[in-house]
Every structure is written in C-alpha cells, then in structure tokens.
Amino acid sequence: MNEAKSSIHIEAGKASTLMHNDRSIPTVNAIFDDEVNEYNISAVQALQKYDRLLQKRIEAYTMRTGQKLNKKTITHLSAIVNIKKITTMKELRRLAIRLEILYDTRVFQIAIHRDEGHVKDGKNIKNYHAHLEMLGLDRYGYSVRRKLTRSSLSKLQDIVAEILKIQRGINYAIEKKKRPKRLGTYAYKRAMEIKEEAVNTVKKELQIIVEQKEKRIEELIEKLHEENAQLKKVTRQKKSVDTTLAELLPQLKLNAERGRRYSYSQVKDLVLEKFIELNTEIEQLKRTNKKYHGYLTNAKKMYLDLQNKNIQLEEEIELLGKNIMKDREVNEIEDEEIDNKWKISY
C-alpha cells in the first residue's frame, strides 16, 4: 500500500456534509465494514453548536460594520484531510487547534472515515480521510476564506504533515512546479473513466490487429507447406526422370541402331525436354517458396513488433495507473461534489 502524503483541501461546507460525516445519510463509496468510523459529535449536535458559535460572530460583524451579514457570505468551511490507517482522533483534535489559531476560527465537528474506497483487481483500496468542519467567520466577523492564501495553505500543509506524522505533499512554490488544476469529485471520476475507456479501446484495437496478423501468419504457413509439398513432389519426379533416363538411354541407343521408329537423338531430345521442363518448374517453386519464406519472416517480425507494442502499452497503462494515484494526492478525496461557487444553505 502506498504511504499516505499530507493533503488538506478546504471548501464551502453544507448541512448535508455534517450528516455525511456521521453517516446519517448514505454514501456511495462507503463499501467497507471491516473498520469503524469515528466522529466527535453527531450531525444534530454539530448543527446546534454551529448555530450557537456563528450567532456570536454575526453579532461581532454587525457591531463592527453596523450592517447585516450578507446572505452570500460563506459561514461554514469544510477541511478534508488525507490520513493514515492509524491516525487518531487525538491527533485530529491537535490539528483542529492549529487550524483555529492559524485562521481564528472554531472547529465544531471532526470525523474519521475508514469505510470509503474501491476494489481493484480483487484488492481493497481504502480512502482514509478526515473531515474538520469549521466556521467561515473569525471572532470579528471577517471572512476566513479570504485568509486562505497560498502561503497560509502551504504552511497548513506543513502543519498537517507534522501533526499526523506523514510525508508532506509537493510544495509547488519551493519546487517551482505548476500546480495541477483541481477537479471536482465527479469530474475527476469521469476523467478517470474516460482514461480507462481510452486505454481499453486501444487494447481492443491492438488485440484485433494481433489476431489478424496471427491469422495471416497461419495462412502463410499453410501456403508454404503446400508449396513445399509441391516442390518435393516435382523433385521426386525429376529424380524419377533422371533414373529413367539413365536406364533408357542404353536401350534407346540399341533400338536406334536396330532401325526403330525414333532415333536415339530424337528420344534423347524428348526426355531432355521433359527434364528441362521439370527443372524449370522446380526453380519456379523454389522462387515461390523463397517468396513465401520472405512473407512469413516479415509477418513474424510484424507479430513480434505488435507483441513489443503490447508490452509497451501495458507499461504505459501501469504508468498511467501510477499517475492516476499521484493525481489523487492533489484532487479531492471526498465523495461529495465540490461546491465550486462557494454556496451554503441551511
């Protein structure tokens, strides 16, 4: 199993997130039951705590600005954290405290999910992760979302790696690498499906080509056997003529001397004519045989090339699988659709 790497993603929260966390509502990818999920408080309790804490911060905003809080303000943020199998609730409480200090927020629900993932090639691929639900306003009523700068999020990645004792994810600023574009969960899954469909299509097309070449090779081998059989037959005929000629020439010579119908030279010419005809046929068969040997050699070479391409494709598929797993480190690990417009409703 690949070692977990630190990854935390913060998005706008929803009321349904709280119920997802304590499994009050069903989750599609919750397919394992060999480990137990954890949460510090239920969805109902979390919602009550959220309302109580939020009210104080809305009052702080109104006192500071003399205005009512805009209805579109993000007041609930959800942090999704990549964790290890052995990560504990105690470690996540420590992470929650650091979040509260860093962004002047309050974490009101923590959940650990150990039942999500998928099965690949008969192996269980677990998606260990945690949710930390927090307020979207600080104690003065300022938006926490505005504090989610690249530098602060990079620092947060360091904190996650330190507290959870896992390897830090890629630091794009330090390594001067382009940050991959984040896809929503469903968009990500669809992209992976498209990749898999493309790979399967190429494999099927390659298999068809291989089968066609194998069939062509079988046809050439069969034709080559036929030509070889014909060559052997004509060669036997030539040997027979050679033997017959050697046996008949003395008799023909004797018959010619006795005044028979055909002269020795005439009969000899007829036999030699047949001999030459058979020799010509043999040479033609040899050329045909050589031609089919060439076809067969080329066909075998093409077949080997296809086998090598198939091996190369398998290696590319394996690399693609590794890249997909690598992409997952910078993509959302939760199974709900990301609210990219940062909307929230209760």
Side-chain angles (χ1 to χ4, degrees):
M1 183 174 67
N2 292 334
E3 187 68 25
K5 291 187 179 181
S6 69
S7 174
I8 182 167
H9 171 61
I10 301 176
E11 63 185 42
K14 297 181 286 188
S16 59
T17 304
L18 307 179
M19 293 182 284
H20 165 84
N21 289 347
D22 72 353
R23 293 298 189 253
S24 301
I25 55 176
T27 299
V28 176
N29 279 8
I31 60 175
F32 304 112
D33 57 7
D34 57 327
E35 295 182 271
V36 179
N37 293 330
E38 295 181 57
Y39 54 89
N40 62 339
I41 57 177
S42 68
V44 173
Q45 293 170 323
L47 187 57
Q48 292 172 346
K49 186 176 182 179
Y50 164 81
D51 287 337
R52 185 174 67 255
L53 294 171
L54 179 62
Q55 188 58 40
K56 293 181 180 179
R57 300 194 175 214
I58 291 176
E59 290 173 0
Y61 172 83
T62 301
M63 287 181 63
R64 180 173 57 82
T65 64
Q67 300 175 351
K68 290 184 178 181
L69 185 69
N70 191 311
K71 293 182 179 181
K72 294 183 178 180
T73 301
I74 305 301
T75 58
H76 172 189
L77 293 173
S78 179
I80 305 168
V81 187
N82 196 23
I83 65 173
K84 296 187 293 185
K85 176 183 175 71
I86 59 174
T87 299
T88 64
M89 184 63 75
K90 182 179 180 180
E91 290 174 315
L92 291 171
R93 286 197 177 99
R94 288 177 56 204
L95 178 59
I97 293 172
R98 298 290 292 274
L99 269 171
E100 292 178 346
I101 294 172
L102 183 61
Y103 296 118
D104 188 16
T105 182
R106 286 292 301 277
V107 175
F108 57 89
Q109 188 191 45
I110 304 174
I112 299 176
H113 289 160
R114 302 185 178 97
D115 60 352
E116 295 182 39
H118 62 282
V119 178
K120 182 178 180 181
D121 298 329
K123 295 181 180 180
N124 294 343
I125 309 298
K126 289 289 191 73
N127 177 15
Y128 292 107
H129 63 277
H131 296 261
L132 289 85
E133 308 304 321
M134 58 187 178
L135 294 176
L137 297 177
D138 67 13
R139 72 181 70 185
Y140 304 108
Y142 288 107
S143 171
V144 173
R145 183 192 170 195
R146 294 182 181 276
K147 301 179 183 182
L148 302 179
T149 61
R150 285 193 175 184
S151 59
S152 76
L153 290 172
S154 179
K155 182 178 180 180
L156 182 57
Q157 290 282 9
D158 294 334
I159 293 172
V160 171
E162 173 195 342
I163 293 177
L164 302 186
K165 297 179 178 61
I166 56 180
Q167 182 182 346
R168 193 202 189 284
I170 297 173
N171 190 324
Y172 294 97
I174 293 177
E175 298 189 20
K176 296 181 180 180
K177 292 182 178 181
K178 185 177 180 181
R179 187 181 300 274
K181 182 180 178 181
R182 178 177 294 277
L183 297 176
T185 299
Y186 294 110
Y188 174 79
K189 289 179 180 178
R190 181 54 187 156
M192 295 306 100
E193 289 173 359
I194 291 173
K195 281 187 178 181
E196 187 174 355
E197 289 171 2
V199 169
N200 290 336
T201 299
V202 172
K203 289 182 72 175
K204 287 179 181 178
E205 291 177 352
L206 184 61
Q207 184 61 32
I208 291 173
I209 294 173
V210 169
E211 290 175 357
Q212 289 175 342
K213 295 303 177 185
E214 287 178 343
K215 184 179 179 181
R216 178 58 178 160
I217 289 172
E218 291 175 359
E219 292 174 351
L220 288 172
I221 290 174
E222 184 179 351
K223 187 68 176 176
L224 188 61
H225 287 164
E226 292 175 358
E227 294 295 334
N228 278 333
Q230 182 65 18
L231 178 61
K232 290 178 181 179
K233 179 181 177 181
V234 174
T235 302
R236 286 195 300 269
Q237 290 177 350
K238 178 180 178 295
K239 289 181 179 179
S240 177
V241 169
D242 289 344
T243 302
T244 302
L245 182 62
E247 293 173 351
L248 289 180
L249 282 178
Q251 184 64 39
L252 289 171
K253 185 176 181 180
L254 180 60
N255 291 341
E257 291 172 353
R258 292 177 179 177
R260 295 292 178 92
R261 182 176 179 183
Y262 296 104
S263 67
Y264 169 75
S265 61
Q266 288 176 325
V267 173
K268 183 179 178 181
D269 288 342
L270 289 173
V271 174
L272 287 176
E273 183 180 343
K274 182 63 176 177
F275 180 79
I276 292 170
E277 180 183 332
L278 287 171
N279 262 345
T280 302
E281 186 175 354
I282 287 172
E283 291 302 320
Q284 183 178 354
L285 285 169
K286 284 182 178 179
R287 287 194 294 272
T288 303
N289 189 283
K290 184 178 180 180
K291 179 177 70 174
Y292 279 107
H293 268 294
Y295 288 159
L296 184 60
T297 301
N298 291 335
K300 286 181 177 179
K301 183 177 181 301
M302 291 173 64
Y303 181 66
L304 290 174
D305 289 342
L306 286 170
Q307 284 184 321
N308 291 333
K309 287 181 181 178
N310 195 25
I311 293 172
Q312 183 181 354
L313 179 62
E314 291 294 338
E315 292 174 351
E316 291 176 357
I317 291 170
E318 182 179 356
L319 179 61
L320 176 61
K322 290 180 181 178
N323 288 336
I324 289 173
M325 294 305 297
K326 187 177 180 181
D327 289 343
R328 292 184 70 89
E329 297 171 9
V330 293
N331 274 280
E332 182 181 353
I333 60 172
E334 178 49 38
D335 299 287
E336 291 184 320
E337 186 174 12
I338 294 176
D339 186 356
N340 291 317
K341 295 184 179 179
W342 296 81
K343 293 183 179 179
I344 179 172
S345 60
Y346 281 98

